[in-house]
Amino acid sequence: MIPFVDLKAQYASIRTEVNAAIQGVLDSCQFTLGSEVVKFEREFAAYCQGEYGVGVNSGTSALHLALLAAGIGPGDEVITVPFTFVASVAAIHYSGARTVFVDIDPKSFTMDPARIEAAITDRTRAIMPVHLYGQTADMDPILEIARRRGLAVIEDAAQAHGAEYKGRRAGSLGQMGCFSFYPGKNLGAYGEGGMVVTSDPQYARTLRMLRDWGAEKKYHHVLKGYNYRLEGIQGAVLRVKLRHLETWTEARRAAAARYELLLSGSGVPMPAQMPYARHVYHVYAIRTKDRQRWQESLQGEGIQTGIHYPIPVHLLPAYEDLGYMRGDFPHSEQAADEVLSLPMYPELTEQQAGVVAAGVRRLAAGA
Ligand SMILES: Cc1ncc(COP(=O)(O)O)c(C=O)c1O
């Protein structure tokens, strides 16, 4: 059996460190925010080449608060892509703004900058590129348009811890970068968690207030805030795991290189690392026109796969009120029909990658 992700293998490798870190929080009783969260905020912001980190209780909350801190609300429009996890769009909805979609570039699976200008109206306030699968969007043209049109850029970096664009880390490319620490992420908590990274002290101050009931100091609520605080145990676990993240990321990159070698010449479209990118392979998605059969056949051989994501957000019933239709974003729709994510985690062995690749090759050869 080759699982799609293997959280147990990772826990086994850091058990002693993690258990001690959790015990430390139990002893201190700093269960929400507290010193472990403060230290983790500093360490993760530095890792992302940003100045400030504001820990929150999920990636979705990070996106929501970043939008609010940028002053976005009802009557405003935010541009993002339909080929993403629903949370990107949910967060825009929470802010009261309207989502305007642009299609992806089919090679990188990320926002096609050439389509942005046509989507801008006099209500547009921000662009939210999604660094899907662990590769940043093509940020220079996005930032250039945003600068020229006076728009904020909020990165959805939920899948892109440690990803780089021309040597700069995801999360420090726009005004704010939003991360998820959902357990299966490249840097995953033992529960829920998220963070906004920014180099703007004003945004950081606003975000800190918004996540904790809008309070400037205890019981002095100057903003309408939320209970979006990051838990102490998650801060402590994430601090331990951050120390291993580069090693784990290199292991993911090595696994991706192995897949690429083993699948070369098979005709299977593999993920492309763009020339500007350090891809961190949160997801390793190949494409196939015969996905259901491939998925069932691999499952029959004990190989688990995933689909990220089968329905683009503009075609989800929950967001049909946005008024889009099939055919509006052909590259997103085709990707949603074809992508198949292979097992990918740092502990994936050479032998396991070999079994997966052999299974895929057999299917590609029509067997
Ligand atoms: C692209 C993207 N955006 C946002 C989120 C939301 O993060 P969370 O699940 O921590 O709320 C996720 C992950 O779940 C994601 O993959």
Side-chain angles (χ1 to χ4, degrees):
M1 187 72 204
I2 304 179
F4 179 64
V5 290
D6 192 349
L7 297 184
K8 287 186 180 164
Q10 188 174 84
Y11 175 57
S13 74
I14 53 170
R15 195 171 200 279
T16 315
E17 285 171 274
V18 166
N19 289 7
I22 292 174
Q23 187 61 53
V25 178
L26 297 181
D27 291 336
S28 76
C29 289
Q30 294 188 348
F31 293 118
T32 184
L33 299 177
S35 62
E36 289 296 306
V37 169
V38 170
K39 286 179 196 156
F40 176 61
E41 288 177 333
R42 288 201 195 114
E43 291 162 4
F44 189 69
Y47 175 80
C48 298
Q49 301 173 344
E51 287 291 322
Y52 309 98
V54 180
V56 292
N57 61 351
S58 73
T60 310
S61 300
L63 290 166
H64 181 197
L65 295 193
L67 289 159
L68 296 184
I72 287 157
D76 297 337
E77 291 178 356
V78 177
I79 295 175
T80 192
V81 287
F83 191 57
T84 181
F85 182 60
V86 68
S88 317
V89 180
I92 297 171
H93 173 71
Y94 296 169
S95 78
R98 179 187 165 77
T99 300
V100 173
F101 289 123
V102 296
D103 210 351
I104 56 164
D105 159 52
K107 201 162 177 283
S108 66
F109 295 108
T110 57
M111 181 178 281
D112 180 353
R115 297 175 189 274
I116 296 172
E117 291 273 8
I120 295 176
T121 72
D122 54 10
R123 292 169 173 248
T124 309
R125 295 287 172 271
I127 308 174
M128 185 196 283
V130 181
H131 303 327
L132 201 75
Y133 297 162
Q135 175 159 257
T136 69
D138 186 5
M139 291 301 288
D140 274 349
I142 295 174
L143 291 166
E144 191 277 320
I145 294 167
R147 231 180 341 258
R148 193 156 34 77
R149 307 293 292 252
L151 309 174
V153 175
I154 295 170
E155 299 166 69
D156 182 340
Q159 303 187 0
H161 318 72
E164 290 175 14
Y165 179 78
K166 301 183 180 173
R168 298 271 315 148
R169 286 262 161 98
S172 65
L173 302 163
Q175 276 75 49
M176 286 174 267
C178 302
F179 291 87
S180 164
F181 304 121
Y182 184 75
K185 294 290 195 272
N186 288 23
L187 180 61
Y190 286 172
E192 305 278 349
M195 191 173 290
V196 186
V197 172
T198 183
S199 291
D200 181 319
Q202 268 313 106
Y203 283 146
R205 187 168 174 273
T206 306
L207 291 162
R208 279 187 209 294
M209 288 197 277
L210 285 173
R211 72 157 169 201
D212 194 10
W213 292 118
E216 203 168 34
K217 54 184 186 186
K218 204 162 189 185
Y219 302 131
H220 288 254
H221 306 277
V222 295
L223 297 172
K224 291 191 177 69
Y226 299 80
N227 177 357
Y228 279 178
R229 297 176 297 248
L230 181 62
E231 293 187 347
I233 285 177
Q234 305 312 335
V237 169
L238 288 162
R239 284 191 75 207
V240 169
K241 294 182 83 177
L242 181 58
R243 297 201 275 272
H244 299 274
L245 183 57
E246 276 303 291
T247 308
W248 290 335
T249 300
E250 284 309 319
R252 284 176 183 272
R253 289 171 53 77
R258 198 162 302 125
Y259 276 146
E260 194 170 312
L261 188 69
L262 296 173
L263 292 175
S264 70
S266 67
V268 176
M270 290 178 273
Q273 176 171 261
M274 305 304 282
Y276 49 70
R278 180 201 193 205
H279 200 317
V280 296
Y281 298 100
H282 174 57
V283 166
Y284 189 92
I286 58 168
R287 285 182 187 253
T288 164
K289 303 259 185 223
D290 198 7
R291 181 172 63 195
Q292 195 182 342
R293 195 174 66 83
W294 283 33
Q295 190 167 34
E296 284 165 7
S297 170
L298 291 169
Q299 183 68 42
E301 295 178 43
I303 300 167
Q304 272 183 0
T305 55
I307 300 174
H308 303 90
Y309 298 91
I311 308 172
V313 181
H314 70 290
L315 299 180
L316 288 174
Y319 289 98
E320 65 188 13
D321 60 332
L322 291 173
Y324 292 104
M325 290 185 315
R326 183 169 290 280
D328 283 345
F329 306 104
H331 293 308
S332 294
E333 291 166 24
Q334 192 178 349
D337 286 341
E338 294 181 357
V339 288
L340 182 66
S341 312
L342 303 184
M344 172 54 74
Y345 41 90
E347 299 78 12
L348 189 79
T349 64
E350 272 184 49
Q351 190 257 340
Q352 287 174 315
V355 171
V356 175
V360 171
R361 280 196 88 98
R362 262 196 305 281
L363 288 161

